[in-house]
Structures are given as C-alpha cells and as structure tokens.
Amino acid sequence: MTMLEVKNLKRTFTTKDNMFGRREVKAVRDVSFTIPDGGVISFIGESGCGKTTIGRIVAGLETPTDGTVLLDGIDIHRANPKERRELMRQIQLIQQDPYQALNPAHTIEEALAQPLRLMAKRKAGVSNAWIQDRMAEVLSLVGLDPAAILYKYPHMLSGGQRQRVVIARALTVEPKVLVADEAVSMIDVSLRLGVLHLLRNLREKLNISVLFITHDVAASRYLGRDGKVFVIYKGMIVEEGATDTVINGPTHPYTQALLSAVPVLKGLEVPGSQRFYVEKELSQDGLSEEGCLFASRCPFATAECRRQLPPLAGDSHKSACLYPYERQVTARMLD
Amino acid sequence: MNAELQLIDAQTAVQVRGLNVVYETTQGDIPAVQNVNLDIRKGQITGIIGESGSGKSTLVMAMMNAVAKPGRVASGSIEVSGVGDMMKLSTEQQRRARSTELGLVFQAAQNSLNPLRRIGHQVLDLGRSHGVKDLRALLRKAKDLLERLGLDADRVLTAYQHELSGGMRQRVGIMFALVLDAKVVILDEATTALDMLSQASVLQIVRELHEERGLTTILITHDMGVVGDLADRVVVMYAGCIVEEGVTQEVLTSPKHPYTRGLIRAIPRISGDIDKAVPLSGSPPDMNTYKQPGCLFADRCPLAAPECQQSRPPLLEVETGRHVACFRVNDHA
C-alpha cells in the first residue's frame, strides 16, 4: 500500500529584484515518487541539488509551485487547516543539526513533554501518568535511559544522543512518515551507524515509512537496502531504482560520478575499473534550459546531449540519459 | 642547532617527542594531547584520524607551535627537519618556518582568507611578510599553482573570497600553503565541508601534487574513507592519545587496537555485506574520561580486563613500523 505519493512536484524560487531584474531558480523540476507503507526511499545528491527542498515540501514546511503531495490519498497542501494539522502530525522532519533542533534552555523532559501534552488533550481521558509513561517509552525506543537523560539539558549530551532525543520527540506524536534530512552527517563517525541502526529498527518495529535524504551513498545502502534510491540533480530525478541495483550498476553518468567519488579503503576494497572524476562544480548560473542539465559537466556528453533533455525512462530501473550505459565505478570488497 | 638536527634521521620530516598539550579551564587543566611520540616520514602521506575532540587538530597546531589560548604546550619537543625544535626557536624563526617549511590548509578555507582583500593582494601580503624579494615571480608561481589546481588563475587572483565557491576556496587554501615552497603540508579537515564530487577532485589534486613536488603530507580527518583512499600511513587518535599507528593497508586489514577495529567496522560501505557494519558501543570521551588512571577506551572496550582500568597502556611497537597502545593486543576476539 502506498503511504505517501508525490506527483509532478515543482518549486521555483524567485530572487529579489536587483540590477539584473529577477532571476528564477528551479529548485525542484517535476519530481514524482511514492513511499510504500513502512517502506524506505533515499534521495542522493550534492548540496544544492534540491533534495532538501523536496523534503521540506513533503514535511509541509514549504509550498510547492505545482504538484501534489498525497498522504494516505489526501493532499496535504490543499487540505483545510484542521485536516492539515492532523496531517502534519503524521509527517515528522528530522533535521541535520541536532545542536540547533533542541531548545538549549529546556531540559529533555520539557522538550518531550510539550508535544505529549497536546497529544494527551487529543486523547481524552488520559492522565499525567500517561505522559510520563510515554516519555519513558519513546526514550527507550531510541536507546536512551530515561532516568539518566530526562533532567539533562541539550549541552550535556553528545551529538548522537541529541539526535536520538530529536528522533524520540518526533515519535511522541506517533508519525507515519519520518523525513530524515542528512540526519547523521553532523554526528561523530563512531556514533553515526548507531543512529542509522535506530532508524532502521524503528521502521521495522513501528512500521514507519522513511524518506532518507543524504549525500552518503553507503548510509542510504545501510538504511534503505530493501527500498529504492532516487538520484537528484538540479531538482530532477536522473536515476531511480532498487538500492542495490543502482549502486552496483548505475547507468547515468551523474550517479556514476557520485559513486566514483566514494573513497576506496586500501587493502579492503578495489576501485571500480571505470572510475572517473568530474572536474567542474555545480553552479546555478549560466544554465541553458535546453539539453541535458548534466551535459556541461558530463565527460561523455555529445552534441545531441546539449540539444534535448532526456526523459526519465525505463521500467523498474530508470535513468534520464540519452545514452544510458552501465560502467564499473563502484568499489568492490576484497575477500 | 646542527647538533640538534642530527637527532632526527634523514627519513623523518617532523619528530614529536613526549608532547603534552593542555587547555586551561577554571576547573583545572584538561589534557588535549597526551604523551604523543610520532615520526612523520618524509615523502609520505600520513593520515591522522580521530573523532571530534580526539586532539588531532591540537596535535598539528602544536607541531607548528601555534596552539591558541587557552591551550598550552605543557611539555615535549617538535623537531622539524631543516628547522630545529619548534619549541626552542625564537618567535621570528618560528614565524619564518611556518609557510616556508610547514604549510597549513585550514578546515574552513573561507575563514582563513581575508574577506576585504583580493586573493592576489593576499599572495603579495604573504610574500612581504616573509621577505620575498621578487614579488612578481611569487605571483607567477601562485598563478601556475592555481592553474595546476584546475582554476582560472586570473579570475581567482582578482576575486574576493566571497566570489569563490567552497571547492575553489579550498584550492586557494592549498595554493597559499604551497606558494612559498613548504615541504610539509598539513591539511586540517580540508575536504570535510566540501561536496562529494569536489572532495574527490580536491583529494585527487592533493595526491598528484604530493607526488610531483615530493611533499610530506599530513591529512587530518574523521573520515576513514579519506585516509583509507589517500594515506600511506595512518595514526589513530582517541581522547588525546595515539592508540594505533602503521601502514594504512595493514591497519585497515588487520586493526590491532579495539577502537580501530570498532571504528572500521562501524563504517557502512558501498560494497560487500552491509550487515557486517556494527555500531560502536558506548559514548565518546568526556571530561571525566581523562581523569581515570586506566586506558581511556576501557569503558567502551569489549576486551577490557581489570588491568585496563588501573594503568594506561603505553604505545609499543608490536611489529616493524606498527605501534599499538593496548594491553590485550595479542588476545583479540
């Protein structure tokens, strides 16, 4: 069953008037995807590719210029305010920086009690004891000891613990969808996998759907191994498919460039035989609206690529390239 | 000074002995780097890896004798090949050694460039402060380097830092580190703030320049991937101590310290069985960790024995060129 369906999402930002007039930045261009009930999908891309904007639109923080976001069949951006509040509860966003997501002047107990008090009001006939029980429950779900953490302030916790508190707070309102935007990239390496592991467990235990936004291909593989991967470039999906299919056999040059850029551990792995580097950087200016958006950076681009924009084509493994071709760029583990 | 120079052999670029750095706080001194002995080998890329707060940046700042207050080098010596002991040189001699011998590329290059002056002017400032006679030649050199780094040199030299992207600024930082022909280049988390694609191309440039110019490169990072891809040797730091040091390939394939082993296991990879990745247990070191007499990793260590709680294991050579600080180095699971 489909939990979340996004159809033809578009978002254009207009810059302020200046001496050059207004400029339009197409942050999201025609993006469609679905997340199954209890399923997981990951968005991969560089910073500035629009993946965060898509996450914010899905979480209701941003209004799309065009397109629809359907949660259980209801359009979250066109629902009436009362419905919308209820829908917003069901989608929770976990942001990148756990240092800024918590109020430094509130203890963890206060941070968790606030949403729970609202929940208690909705559920008629529950007592204060319910709030206490629920707090302990969500904290143990995220692997924290309630007695050792409730009285603390955010500054007394490590990055990993803070992110767990942020996740616990999201869980207090019993969401159906979690949007995790770079949720582990600011956490120390040794603790990162722990948080990824937690998100994976929550999915399995509570049947929560996860939209995982990241630039770390390996992290998306860990959290979303049974899901799908969407590779985003300049607000467009350039490749999509089952996680392992895309990582092991990418057909779009941009996906291949991303996979080539993953460092190879000497002695443990061998680099893919067709690994290549992209020299140029992503830029928003001087964009010609014609042709493939990646053509100016693509080492395999032809004259034809600069003329027409390739559509996202294919059955289960789709690629938006005129010449989709599988290259061996992914590092292989040595035995 | 010549007598001192003979102390370090020809293979070593920087020799650190008995280094202790503390940060002064109202609650007393907090050790940031503890009893570090380290040889940085000439012509090699040495990766220093550790989590935030492990003392890796403090260690290299101490190598330049440039630890900022409230930090203080409590004891130890830093012999730099061709310069002498950084701790004993006069302030002026130290200043000259930085840039001409030791070049540093900062983590956030945007914070190390002057926002009010064009890049070209800053190159000239650098030349003047180091008494370079031929400033034209210096600019030419800067231009060559920038072009070598894949940038449009004329545009960059006339630009202010805000006109450049993150990847470009990082390359400009590398140019500044090399323009006075430093022999030892230190990159402090130089690619951390960059995108994956720019990271890959900056790392590729570092690798190429390292070989072309016969540099000694020190790479500080928390990313095992960067070290594993680039470094010849790796130094693993935990809570201010070196816990393991050796040839990258050997450390990666057969880590001997439980922390190194845990760290390598905790990184998800893009190939192989993803479920082999196991999170490291416990929480990172805090103020109280430093106060205990035993091994700093003991309370997170799966192998901890009673003796680990009582005294701190010294860094010992267990094989040729391989140092490990662990009492239970021979009986790991």
Side-chain angles (χ1 to χ4, degrees):
Chain A
M1 213 192 92
T2 305
M3 172 52 67
L4 188 86
E5 185 174 9
V6 173
K7 279 193 274 190
N8 304 100
L9 201 67
K10 290 186 186 108
R11 181 71 173 107
T12 308
F13 292 108
T14 315
T15 59
K16 279 191 195 142
D17 272 318
N18 63 16
M19 58 193 276
F20 305 111
R22 285 183 194 205
R23 210 164 62 93
E24 287 199 332
V25 176
K26 289 183 177 165
V28 182
R29 318 167 189 237
D30 207 353
V31 165
S32 305
F33 60 91
T34 60
I35 313 179
D37 198 2
V40 56
I41 65 167
S42 333
F43 283 176
I44 313 178
E46 286 171 279
S47 43
C49 75
K51 56 189 197 296
T52 295
T53 309
I54 301 174
R56 287 175 60 85
I57 293 174
V58 168
L61 296 175
E62 195 93 58
T63 320
T65 311
D66 197 14
T68 51
V69 178
L70 303 176
L71 180 74
D72 259 343
I74 310 166
D75 186 341
I76 64 164
H77 293 285
R78 283 174 191 82
N80 66 45
K82 206 177 158 196
E83 268 181 335
R84 201 177 133 86
R85 260 181 81 134
E86 169 58 20
L87 291 167
M88 290 298 83
R89 177 184 68 76
Q90 297 177 12
I91 309 178
Q92 290 295 315
L93 176 69
I94 296 161
Q95 278 170 329
Q96 177 171 7
D97 191 351
Y99 294 83
Q100 287 177 21
L102 294 168
N103 187 334
H106 283 185
T107 59
I108 305 307
E109 181 165 11
E110 288 167 63
L112 294 177
Q114 268 173 346
L116 280 172
R117 263 183 231 120
L118 287 174
M119 286 297 282
K121 241 188 231 170
R122 284 161 30 92
K123 294 185 196 238
V126 289
S127 59
N128 264 344
W130 177 82
I131 294 183
Q132 292 301 327
D133 290 350
R134 186 77 185 128
M135 243 189 266
E137 192 187 333
V138 290
L139 282 175
S140 21
L141 263 176
V142 298
L144 294 172
D145 174 14
I149 218 126
L150 276 174
Y151 68 90
K152 285 187 174 164
Y153 286 93
H155 74 264
M156 299 158 90
L157 306 177
S158 74
Q161 287 174 322
R162 270 182 246 207
Q163 197 62 292
R164 282 170 197 263
V165 170
V166 172
I167 296 172
R169 187 177 56 181
L171 293 179
T172 56
V173 296
E174 296 157 25
K176 290 181 180 164
V177 181
L178 279 183
V179 179
D181 185 0
E182 299 277 14
V184 294
S185 53
M186 300 229 354
I187 301 174
D188 266 323
V189 246
S190 73
L191 304 173
R192 220 175 259 181
L193 195 73
V195 175
L196 285 176
H197 191 73
L198 165 67
L199 287 170
R200 191 154 106 171
N201 277 348
L202 289 178
R203 236 192 84 210
E204 282 159 13
K205 263 193 235 159
L206 306 177
N207 200 38
I208 296 178
S209 311
V210 177
L211 167 58
F212 185 47
I213 300 172
T214 184
H215 65 267
D216 182 351
V217 188
S220 74
R221 185 163 175 254
Y222 185 80
L223 184 57
R225 66 196 153 145
D226 54 345
K228 280 175 97 179
V229 160
F230 293 77
V231 183
I232 317 280
Y233 185 69
K234 286 188 178 168
M236 274 182 57
I237 296 172
V238 293
E239 185 159 358
E240 67 167 271
T243 306
D244 275 332
T245 316
V246 172
I247 291 177
N248 293 323
T251 58
H252 194 285
Y254 179 63
T255 317
Q256 291 163 358
L258 289 182
L259 286 164
S260 296
V262 177
V264 176
L265 294 180
K266 269 181 206 168
L268 292 180
E269 295 168 324
V270 279
S273 55
Q274 289 165 295
R275 191 183 189 200
F276 63 88
Y277 294 99
V278 172
E279 297 286 329
K280 277 192 182 161
E281 282 182 51
L282 177 78
S283 79
Q284 297 289 354
D285 37 69
L287 262 191
S288 73
E289 285 303 309
E290 269 176 32
C292 172
L293 297 172
F294 188 58
S296 60
R297 298 171 79 193
C298 180
F300 312 104
T302 64
E304 191 55 30
C305 294
R306 295 191 176 82
R307 235 168 280 136
Q308 56 164 311
L309 181 67
L312 190 64
D315 300 326
S316 62
H317 181 187
K318 296 180 189 170
S319 175
C321 181
L322 284 181
Y323 312 102
Y325 177 71
E326 201 178 311
R327 290 182 183 85
Q328 295 301 319
V329 292
T330 310
R332 303 264 160 230
M333 194 71 95
L334 289 172
D335 297 323
Chain B
M1 210 166 89
N2 277 331
E4 276 172 26
L5 276 182
Q6 281 158 10
L7 286 174
I8 72 175
D9 64 276
Q11 302 302 312
T12 312
V14 184
Q15 187 187 62
V16 181
R17 285 293 174 266
L19 184 72
N20 281 287
V21 184
V22 295
Y23 281 98
E24 292 168 6
T25 69
T26 46
Q27 277 116 50
D29 290 356
I30 296 177
V33 172
Q34 305 185 54
N35 296 320
V36 163
N37 295 311
L38 177 65
D39 291 334
I40 301 292
R41 304 197 182 184
K42 257 186 199 161
Q44 293 207 329
I45 303 181
T46 305
I48 302 180
I49 187 163
E51 294 174 69
S52 37
S54 63
K56 53 193 193 304
S57 293
T58 310
L59 171 62
V60 292
M61 287 317 266
M63 274 185 201
M64 305 184 79
N65 198 5
V67 178
K69 278 197 170 153
R72 174 169 57 83
V73 176
S75 63
S77 71
I78 312 274
E79 294 280 347
V80 177
S81 169
V83 178
D85 188 346
M86 285 296 275
M87 299 300 153
K88 294 191 183 121
L89 296 180
S90 72
T91 327
E92 182 57 22
Q93 281 171 316
Q94 284 179 35
R95 193 181 69 78
R96 297 219 169 267
R98 300 180 194 131
S99 272
T100 50
E101 294 289 333
L102 301 160
L104 177 65
V105 183
F106 291 91
Q107 173 162 13
Q110 49 267 53
N111 299 338
S112 63
L113 296 171
N114 186 340
L116 300 175
R117 281 174 83 69
R118 295 177 197 274
I119 305 296
H121 277 135
Q122 295 182 50
V123 174
L124 294 176
D125 290 346
L126 182 73
R128 284 188 204 108
S129 69
H130 282 271
V132 174
K133 294 276 169 347
D134 191 353
L135 289 173
R136 260 168 218 278
L138 186 71
L139 265 188
R140 224 175 299 130
K141 212 158 140 214
K143 220 169 138 175
D144 290 344
L145 264 169
L146 288 172
E147 255 150 35
R148 178 65 196 79
L149 293 165
L151 298 175
D152 175 356
D154 290 319
R155 198 204 132 194
V156 170
L157 286 175
T158 52
Y160 292 99
Q161 61 120 343
H162 70 265
E163 297 174 276
L164 307 173
S165 74
M168 288 163 90
R169 277 179 220 166
Q170 212 51 263
R171 285 168 216 221
V172 169
I174 295 175
M175 180 275 287
F176 273 109
L178 290 175
V179 75
L180 289 176
D181 292 317
K183 292 167 198 81
V184 180
V185 178
I186 303 167
L187 296 120
D188 185 1
E189 299 272 10
T191 59
T192 305
L194 299 181
D195 259 313
M196 319 161 255
L197 294 182
S198 343
Q199 162 167 312
S201 69
V202 169
L203 289 180
Q204 180 65 9
I205 283 169
V206 169
R207 193 191 332 251
E208 286 167 13
L209 282 176
H210 171 82
E211 272 162 31
E212 279 167 30
R213 305 182 141 232
L215 299 170
T216 302
T217 306
I218 302 173
L219 208 65
I220 305 166
T221 178
H222 66 263
D223 187 344
M224 187 61 93
V226 171
V227 168
D229 198 330
L230 213 60
D232 301 308
R233 297 185 68 80
V234 56
V235 176
V236 185
M237 289 194 75
Y238 186 79
C241 292
I242 294 180
V243 295
E244 184 156 6
E245 191 258 341
V247 175
T248 308
Q249 214 148 322
E250 289 169 12
V251 172
L252 286 178
T253 49
S254 63
K256 293 205 183 295
H257 194 281
Y259 175 64
T260 322
R261 210 174 306 133
L263 200 58
I264 294 172
R265 227 182 270 165
I267 310 166
R269 304 300 310 160
I270 57 168
S271 64
D273 184 3
I274 192 75
D275 288 318
K276 279 193 180 149
V278 189
L280 201 68
S281 60
S283 47
D286 56 20
M287 292 266 292
N288 298 321
T289 314
Y290 301 106
K291 289 179 190 149
Q292 64 190 31
C295 173
L296 295 167
F297 186 62
D299 46 354
R300 291 174 88 182
C301 180
L303 301 173
E307 57 171 335
C308 303
Q309 307 283 1
Q310 280 143 24
S311 61
R312 206 164 284 177
L315 188 68
L316 298 174
E317 185 157 24
V318 291
E319 285 162 22
T320 324
R322 183 76 175 275
H323 297 82
V324 182
C326 180
F327 288 129
R328 308 208 50 193
V329 62
N330 291 320
D331 33 22
H332 59 78

